[in-house]
């Protein structure tokens, strides 16, 4: 079975540009989570969805960040406009209700904003 | 000003020895705990979990111990191997949806 799929794996962009990160959760999983990992702050939860509905976005840093989940197999995290301090590794994770609370992580997208 | 990153504690262990990685959690209401392993350039990977109604759980070469009295969690790895070199995170949840991750411990296995 394919795990969580993220694209792109690496993204380099200039300050002010729009960045879109993509995630395909594991089929049948009804929870999807977006995390950001930096040396300064560690692994932070940004937002999570249940059945495609955003449940908690309290971790989203500011209005420049937005996330959508138009269907059960696709989610995006968008940063507009991007800033150098957004440079981080962004992870998507998913899990299924009824299983343990284990979240399955994707390989991450390494974002560099210059 | 100068940016300061998180100080990741590092545990150096010789190959074949046992490793013990510790974690203190803050939320006394947390009822589920997970240990994750993260290798360089990869996403966190599940190792083992434990519920608050247990104080010990064993897997293959790994054991997790939970002490709710002092809010402490530990991960024991038996016969540590070079492939165990990674950063290890504990995570806790009380709501069953959100996981709160610790800062991590770097395990270095020396030959």
């Amino acid at each position: 079975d394919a795990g969580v799929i993220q694209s792109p794996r690496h993204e380099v962009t200039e300050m002010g540009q729009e960045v879109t990160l993509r995630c395909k959760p594991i089929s049948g999983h009804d929870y999807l989570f977006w995390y950001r990992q930096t040396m300064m702050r560690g692994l932070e939860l940004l937002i999570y969805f249940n059945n495609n509905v955003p449940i908690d976005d309290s971790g989203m840093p500011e209005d420049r960040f937005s996330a959508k989940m138009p269907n059960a197999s696709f989610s995006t995290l968008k940063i507009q406009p991007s800033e150098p301090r957004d440079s981080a590794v962004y992870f998507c994770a998913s899990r299924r209700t009824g299983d343990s609370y284990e979240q399955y992580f994707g390989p991450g997208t390494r974002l560099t904003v210059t | 000003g100068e940016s300061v990153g998180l100080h990741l504690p590092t545990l150096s262990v010789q190959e074949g020895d046992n490793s013990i990685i510790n974690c203190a959690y803050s939320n006394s209401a947390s009822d589920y705990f997970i240990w994750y392993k993260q290798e360089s350039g990869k996403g966190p990977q599940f190792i083992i979990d434990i519920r608050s109604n247990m104080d010990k759980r064993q897997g293959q070469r790994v054991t997790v111990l939970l002490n709710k009295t002092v809010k402490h969690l530990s991960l024991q790895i038996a016969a540590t191997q070079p492939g165990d070199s990674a950063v290890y995170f504990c995570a806790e949840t009380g709501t069953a949806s959100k996981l709160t991750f610790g800062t991590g411990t770097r395990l270095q296995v020396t030959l």
Side-chain angles (χ1 to χ4, degrees):
Chain A
D1 281 341
V4 174
I5 299 172
Q6 291 187 247
S7 65
R9 293 295 313 277
H10 301 274
E11 176 80 35
V12 180
T13 191
E14 290 184 349
M15 183 174 65
Q17 297 298 306
E18 177 180 295
V19 175
T20 300
L21 312 181
R22 297 173 175 79
C23 175
K24 177 179 169 55
I26 294 172
S27 177
H29 284 195
D30 56 334
Y31 280 90
L32 184 140
F33 304 83
W34 281 102
Y35 290 88
R36 177 172 68 177
Q37 187 174 42
T38 61
M39 286 297 296
M40 289 287 290
R41 303 172 69 90
L43 194 60
E44 303 173 277
L45 176 66
L46 299 177
I47 185 171
Y48 77 92
F49 296 82
N50 179 223
N51 292 322
N52 314 337
V53 176
I55 303 300
D56 185 344
D57 65 353
S58 60
M60 296 286 263
E62 48 197 275
D63 292 345
R64 297 185 297 107
F65 285 69
S66 62
K68 294 182 179 180
M69 192 164 185
N71 57 63
S73 58
F74 183 65
S75 177
T76 59
L77 178 68
K78 186 176 293 186
I79 308 172
Q80 165 65 17
S82 58
E83 296 182 3
R85 60 192 169 120
D86 301 329
S87 297
V89 181
Y90 291 81
F91 289 103
C92 177
S94 70
R95 76 167 182 90
R96 177 168 52 196
T97 299
D99 289 351
S100 71
Y101 302 131
E102 173 191 355
Q103 295 176 15
Y104 296 77
F105 281 77
T109 295
R110 180 173 294 278
L111 173 65
T112 302
V113 183
T114 60
Chain B
E2 182 182 12
S3 64
V4 178
L6 285 173
H7 171 64
L8 270 190
T10 299
L11 175 66
S12 290
V13 175
Q14 206 158 21
E15 182 181 6
D17 287 351
N18 297 334
S19 302
I20 300 176
I21 300 171
N22 297 304
C23 175
Y25 65 93
S26 56
N27 188 352
S28 57
S30 292
D31 59 6
Y32 180 78
F33 306 86
I34 303 181
W35 280 100
Y36 278 91
K37 172 186 180 183
Q38 186 176 22
E39 296 175 278
S40 181
K42 297 184 178 180
Q45 180 183 15
F46 173 89
I47 302 173
I48 191 168
D49 59 1
I50 188 168
R51 294 183 182 273
S52 61
N53 61 354
M54 304 171 69
D55 53 21
K56 180 179 179 179
R57 190 168 187 215
Q58 287 184 291
Q60 190 175 24
R61 280 202 310 119
V62 294
T63 300
V64 55
L65 299 178
L66 175 62
N67 185 331
K68 295 181 288 294
T69 302
V70 295
K71 292 189 284 188
H72 183 268
L73 197 66
S74 69
L75 176 71
Q76 300 178 2
I77 305 173
T80 312
Q81 303 168 358
D84 295 326
S85 293
V87 177
Y88 289 80
F89 294 94
C90 65
E92 60 181 295
T93 181
T95 67
S97 295
K98 293 172 62 168
L99 288 176
T100 301
F101 284 81
T103 54
T105 296
R106 186 179 305 280
L107 176 64
Q108 292 180 339
V109 182
T110 57
L111 303 178

